[in-house]
Amino acid sequence: MSDVVLKVDGLGKAFARNGKRVAAVSDASFSVGAGETLGIVGPSGSGKSTLSRLVLRLIEPDAGSVRFDGGDLLTLRGAALRSVRQRIQMVFQDPLAAFNPRAEVAEVISDPLRIHRLVARVDRPAAVAHLLDRVGLPGVLAERAIHEISGGQRQRVAIARALASQPKLIVLDEAVSALDVSVRAHILRLLVDLQAETGVSYMFVSHDIAVVKAIAHRVAIMDQGRIVETGPTGQVIAAPQSPTGKALVAAVPRLLQAQD
Amino acid sequence: MSALVNISNLGVTFRDGPRRVAALSDVNLTIEAGERLGIIGESGSGKSTLALALTGLLPASAEVSGRIDWADGQPILGRDIGMVFQDPSSSLDPVMSIGEQVAEGAVAHLGLSWGAAKERARDLLAQVKLPDPDGLLRAFPHQLSGGQRQRVAIAAAMAAGPRVLIADEATSALDTIVQAEVVSLLDGLVKQQGITLIFITHDIALASQLADRIAVFRHAQLVEVGTARQVVTQPREAYTAALLGAHLDLGTPPLIGVAP
C-alpha cells in the first residue's frame, strides 16, 4: 500500500452515563493511505462520530495511539498541535450549525488562510475566489451570508474551507446525509474529483453503506464501539462477514425492478 | 377501490416578507381508500405542505385555494388521521409518560377511561413490537432509543384507530437498519388494519418498496403520479428520471477507480 497518512491503534474512549462507564469506542485500529478514502459505517450509537472526534482530537482518548503524517498526534500540544490541525480538516453534517450563520462566505473560507498564516491579507480575496471556483461555486457568493445560501452551497463552502489549508486528511462526518439526492450526487462527485487532483485522504463516516460504496476504497464497519469488519468496499459489500455488515447491506432500500 | 379524498386545483401560498411564495400550486390528486401512497420530493417541493393541508394543520398565514373533498366528510386529526413526523424527540412530550401519550388519543377520541386507554396503549406498544410494554407505560421518551421513540409515536398515532396514517419523513432520522424495521412495521400495520398510508419521503427507493402508487412533487407541483412500478421503471417525466439517476444503492457503480 501507498504511504500511510493516518494510523490508529487500540483507540478507546468511555463516557460516564448514570455513574457507569460506557465504552463509546473500544480497541479501534485502522489506517488510511495517501489519496485513499476509508468509509466508516455503522448504526446509530455504534461509535462512528466519537471515533472521528478522537481522530480530530476534539476529545481525548482513554487508550491507544493515533499517528498522523508520521508523528504522534496525541502527544502534541500548543503550536505543534495547531500546525497539525492545518493538515487535518473536517466537514460535518450540518454546515449551518458548524458556521456562524451571519458570517460571510468569504470570511468562513479565509479564516484558515489567516489563522494558519497561509496567504497574505492582500491576496486572500483571490485565494477565496479560487477556492470557490474549485468547489463549483460562483465568485459572487463570497459576499453572501452563510444563512442566505442553500444547504448544498453551504456544504460546498464547508469543503472549500477544509481545502483552504491544503490538508492531507479530511474527516467527513455524515457530510452528505442531510442533502437532497441530486445535490448529494454532485457533492460526492466533487469530493472524488478533488481527491484525484490533490491526493487528499478522506475518512468518510456514514450510516448509509450505499453512499460509502460510491466513494470509499475501503470500509470499516462499526458496532457497539468496535470495528467488527474491514476490507475493500466492494468485497465487504458483496460478502459481509459480520452480522452488522450483513444487516447494513440488507437494509439498503432498493428500487423496485421491472421483474420484481 | 373507492376514493378517500379528491384534491382538486389545490394551491397553498405562504408569506415571505412582501412576497407570497407558492408551496403547492394546482395540485390534482385522488387518494384511494386503503392504498399506500408514496409522496416523493426534494426539499421545498411541497410534500409536507400537502400533509399539513390534508390534516388541517396549515398555519393561519397560509392562503389556500382549490378543494379537498373527503368522501366521508372532513376527518378529525388524531381520530380519523394519525400523523407520524420525522423527529419523535420533538413530537413526543418529554415529561409525559409513554403510557399517557399513547393512551391520550383513545381517551380524547374513543371516550375510554384512562384505565381502559392504558390497556389499549399496552396492546398498541406490543403491536409496534416494543419489548416490555407493561414497563414502558411508566417510562419516558428520553429512556428510549430513536427507533423505539418512533415506534411509540406510531403507537400514539394509531391509538384512536384512524382510517389514514400520514408518515412525514418518519424514518429519515433513523439509521438504515432501524429504518428497514420501522418500514416493515408500518407496512404490516396498515395491511392488517386496512388503513390508508400516505408515506412522505425524499427516498424514491424506499417509497418503491412500500407504496402501491407514487406521486412525485417538485417546486410546489405534482410532476407525475402512477403505480410504484411505472414511476420507477418507466418514468414519464424527465425530473423523475433525474431523481432515479441520482439514487444510490448497492447496484450503483462506484464513483472511484481502484485504490491508489
Side-chain angles (χ1 to χ4, degrees), chain A residues 164-185:
Chain A
S165 58
Q166 301 183 340
K168 290 210 155 179
L169 174 70
I170 303 181
V171 177
L172 299 120
D173 190 353
E174 300 283 7
V176 300
S177 306
L179 303 175
D180 279 328
V181 287
S182 54
V183 179
R184 180 181 73 183

Side-chain angles (χ1 to χ4, degrees), chain A residues 183-253:
Chain A
V183 179
R184 180 181 73 183
H186 289 131
I187 297 285
L188 289 172
R189 167 56 66 193
L190 172 68
L191 289 171
V192 168
D193 290 346
L194 290 170
Q195 185 172 58
E197 280 167 40
T198 63
V200 67
S201 305
Y202 297 134
M203 182 172 151
F204 188 93
V205 177
S206 176
H207 69 283
D208 186 345
I209 202 165
V211 172
V212 167
K213 188 195 173 219
I215 192 167
H217 303 95
R218 284 188 309 126
V219 62
I221 290 174
M222 288 193 78
D223 195 15
Q224 296 182 32
R226 294 180 181 276
I227 294 178
V228 294
E229 182 167 4
T230 52
T233 309
Q235 202 173 308
V236 168
I237 288 172
Q241 301 297 308
S242 62
T244 313
K246 288 176 186 165
L248 285 168
V249 167
V252 174

Side-chain angles (χ1 to χ4, degrees), chain B residues 167-181:
Chain B
D168 187 358
E169 296 281 14
T171 65
S172 307
L174 306 174
D175 69 49
T176 46
I177 296 176
V178 178
Q179 167 172 279
E181 292 166 4

Side-chain angles (χ1 to χ4, degrees), chain A residues 2 34-36 43-44 180-182 184 188-189 192 207 209-211 213-217 237 247-249 251-258 260, chain B residues 42-43 174-177 179-180 202-206 208-209 228-229 232-233 243-244 246-252 254-260:
Chain A
S2 54
E36 185 186 45
S44 302
D180 279 328
V181 287
S182 54
R184 180 181 73 183
L188 289 172
R189 167 56 66 193
V192 168
H207 69 283
I209 202 165
V211 172
K213 188 195 173 219
I215 192 167
H217 303 95
I237 288 172
L248 285 168
V249 167
V252 174
R254 199 172 143 266
L255 276 171
L256 189 69
Q257 301 296 311
D260 283 348
Chain B
E42 297 190 292
S43 311
L174 306 174
D175 69 49
T176 46
I177 296 176
Q179 167 172 279
H202 63 282
D203 187 334
I204 197 165
L206 192 62
S208 83
Q209 288 182 339
R229 183 181 307 278
V232 302
T233 62
L243 268 187
L244 290 163
H247 172 70
L248 283 178
D249 63 22
L250 296 179
T252 315
L255 294 168
I256 46 166
V258 287

Side-chain angles (χ1 to χ4, degrees), chain A residues 67-252:
Chain A
R67 291 189 70 78
F68 172 72
D69 209 9
D72 182 349
L73 187 67
L74 298 182
T75 56
L76 294 176
R77 297 283 178 274
L81 179 60
R82 281 194 294 279
S83 134
V84 165
R85 288 233 157 102
Q86 177 185 327
R87 286 174 284 147
I88 305 187
Q89 288 295 315
M90 63 210 87
V91 176
F92 295 110
Q93 175 166 353
D94 181 3
L96 195 56
F99 299 141
N100 171 2
R102 291 166 70 179
E104 277 183 11
V105 167
E107 200 179 328
V108 163
I109 297 176
S110 62
D111 272 349
L113 303 175
R114 176 178 57 80
I115 291 163
H116 297 299
R117 298 187 188 139
L118 298 171
V119 178
R121 178 195 294 250
V122 50
D123 297 323
R124 274 181 222 144
V128 167
H130 176 64
L131 283 161
L132 283 174
D133 183 53
R134 281 179 69 192
V135 297
L137 289 174
V140 293
L141 224 64
E143 285 157 33
R144 303 278 289 280
I146 287 292
H147 73 85
E148 292 176 329
I149 63 178
S150 74
Q153 288 174 330
R154 247 179 244 138
Q155 206 57 306
R156 286 176 192 264
V157 169
I159 293 167
R161 176 186 166 110
L163 286 173
S165 58
Q166 301 183 340
K168 290 210 155 179
L169 174 70
I170 303 181
V171 177
L172 299 120
D173 190 353
E174 300 283 7
V176 300
S177 306
L179 303 175
D180 279 328
V181 287
S182 54
V183 179
R184 180 181 73 183
H186 289 131
I187 297 285
L188 289 172
R189 167 56 66 193
L190 172 68
L191 289 171
V192 168
D193 290 346
L194 290 170
Q195 185 172 58
E197 280 167 40
T198 63
V200 67
S201 305
Y202 297 134
M203 182 172 151
F204 188 93
V205 177
S206 176
H207 69 283
D208 186 345
I209 202 165
V211 172
V212 167
K213 188 195 173 219
I215 192 167
H217 303 95
R218 284 188 309 126
V219 62
I221 290 174
M222 288 193 78
D223 195 15
Q224 296 182 32
R226 294 180 181 276
I227 294 178
V228 294
E229 182 167 4
T230 52
T233 309
Q235 202 173 308
V236 168
I237 288 172
Q241 301 297 308
S242 62
T244 313
K246 288 176 186 165
L248 285 168
V249 167
V252 174

